[in-house]
Amino acid sequence: MQGFRLPSTVFNIARSRTGLPSFRDGAATHNTQADETIAAVVDEELKLPKLSSLAIILLANVWSQLTFFIVVSSSNEYAAHLGGTATFAGLVIGIPTAISGLTLPFLTRWDQGGYKRPLNFACACQILGNILYALAYRANFLYLILIGRMVCGGGFTWFMYTKRYCSDPRIVGIRRRTTLAGWQVLGQGIGFSAGPFVGGLLFKVGFGNSVFNGFTSPGWLMAAMWAAFWVAVQVFFEDVPCTVSSAIPLQPITASANKDNKALDEAAISEVPEGSRSPSPSPSPSPPPAPAFKMAPNQVGVTLTMCWFAMLCFFVLGAWESNIPVFTGSDAPQNPFHFSPFAAGNLIALGGACTIPFLLLNLHVARRVQDRHTLAVGTAVGTAGLVLALALLAARRVAYGPFFVAWLLVALGFNVASTVTLSLLSKQLPGEWNGRVSMFIQYSNYTGRVTGAVWGGAGVKVGMLGYVGLQLGLVGIGCVMFMSLWKNLKAKMG
């Protein structure tokens, strides 16, 4: 590092974390040793898992999202063909989430802290579930649709494992978690845009065959894709080591440290209390066992806030995804469209597709912006979409262009906001809490998705103004929590 020297404060902090003497202690240690110490800390905070394994994890998330949404366009007609009602079709879409929630506690006890077992379980469930869904037409058995989607629900437990993998301290450094969460949300966007479009396209093409037709083709397609993917899992996926990270809870950032923030960020290390510094370079023989971690009141507040936003994002997204086909095909006084299910699915897909460039941009921005700022901007954009929709409905001047813009803002804003719920929380709690924190966020997502879908389906019946108004009220509660804990939401970038 000739020609460049980091500030002595950075070297002192690095030495304090490794037991090396600091300059203020008057110890003479060669600069190379300090440089190596800082490099080790930086590498730890920027580490990433093996690329092939990470690609498998993220691709499994995309496949899961596609499987969830591909039946949205045709499930109502499929159920009607076999003698079912619209309510039954809604149950077909919503039941996998409930099954996932019931399955997760048992699966997490069996996974041994790894990912290979739940990934194999997800692949098996998705293959079998999609085959059963497709066979219902040939068997002329209505409830086989429901059974197939229930089996798929076991595979949708992978949503939680994707989040857990992207924040696992054993393989992901603290400054890479929001970036990986951004990739996970990008896959989420691809799923809810491509899924309805592909399902609607397959339904429109038809394929006049008693086995492979517009109703059954989504099931056969996804079963084949999962079977090919399962082969790739066996070849390329490498599970994480079965060790527990000795992560340390982050220390709150005080005003007195603000002047050193730039230097600390460049070195990718954080300061520790003065009393914990070792006066000599000799290492401690064996550290005493760490006491059980107990959350401070501000950490409890941050956890509740992140769980609220995890629920809120999926409540709003789920409400709109289920309401758009209902509203645009209804006799509501504000509805000028009278869309077919295929046209409504295309509207959902187009809005999702238009978010993709912005979600890609978010991957770049996430490395340079704090999570709390990403959460604030995403919530603001989504809220702007809700306000626009409320204004259009109140004025009874709903047109395709403005309504599409409202949906685009909602889809973009709340997808971006959902990026940071787990990554921010994982930076403020010990690494060994990652499993339970992932469960907190996932069950919040499940709660939002189920209740949002129900609320969206009932939107026309309760009144569209009240439908949007409740969403704005929930956002308001989140903003109060968010603003009250603004200082405590500060975490490392990346």
Side-chain angles (χ1 to χ4, degrees), residues 283-370:
S284 176
S286 60
F293 175 72
K294 185 176 181 180
M295 295 174 67
N298 63 320
Q299 290 172 317
V300 173
V302 170
T303 302
L304 293 176
T305 300
M306 292 301 100
C307 288
W308 179 265
F309 273 95
M311 181 280 297
L312 172 65
C313 291
F314 280 87
F315 178 88
V316 176
L317 292 171
W320 277 71
E321 288 158 1
S322 64
N323 178 260
I324 286 176
V326 174
F327 171 65
T328 58
S330 72
D331 295 325
Q334 303 101 326
N335 175 31
F337 305 122
H338 305 290
F339 280 168
S340 67
F342 176 67
N346 285 343
L347 175 60
I348 297 173
L350 182 60
C354 290
T355 66
I356 301 300
F358 298 98
L359 295 178
L360 286 169
L361 178 62
N362 182 55
L363 295 175
H364 175 75
V365 173
R367 303 174 186 177
R368 298 164 175 81
V369 177
Q370 289 185 23

Side-chain angles (χ1 to χ4, degrees), residues 4 50 60 74 135 156 166 189 204 219 274 282 304 322 351-352 414 485:
F4 174 75
K50 186 179 178 181
S74 58
L135 287 175
F156 290 137
C166 292
K204 189 176 181 67
E274 181 78 21
S282 53
L304 293 176
S322 64
F414 289 106
L485 292 165

Side-chain angles (χ1 to χ4, degrees), residues 383-407:
T383 303
L386 292 176
V387 172
L388 176 58
L390 189 67
L392 293 172
L393 293 167
R396 295 195 176 186
R397 293 185 176 181
V398 179
Y400 188 90
F403 187 75
F404 171 76
V405 171
W407 161 233

Side-chain angles (χ1 to χ4, degrees), residues 35 68 90 92 137 150 188 209 231 277 280 310 321 335 383 393 397-398 400 410 423:
D35 296 346
F68 189 91
V92 167
Y137 186 94
M150 290 174 69
Q188 177 179 302
N209 187 298
V231 174
R277 296 178 178 173
S280 66
E321 288 158 1
N335 175 31
T383 303
L393 293 167
R397 293 185 176 181
V398 179
Y400 188 90
V410 167
S423 62

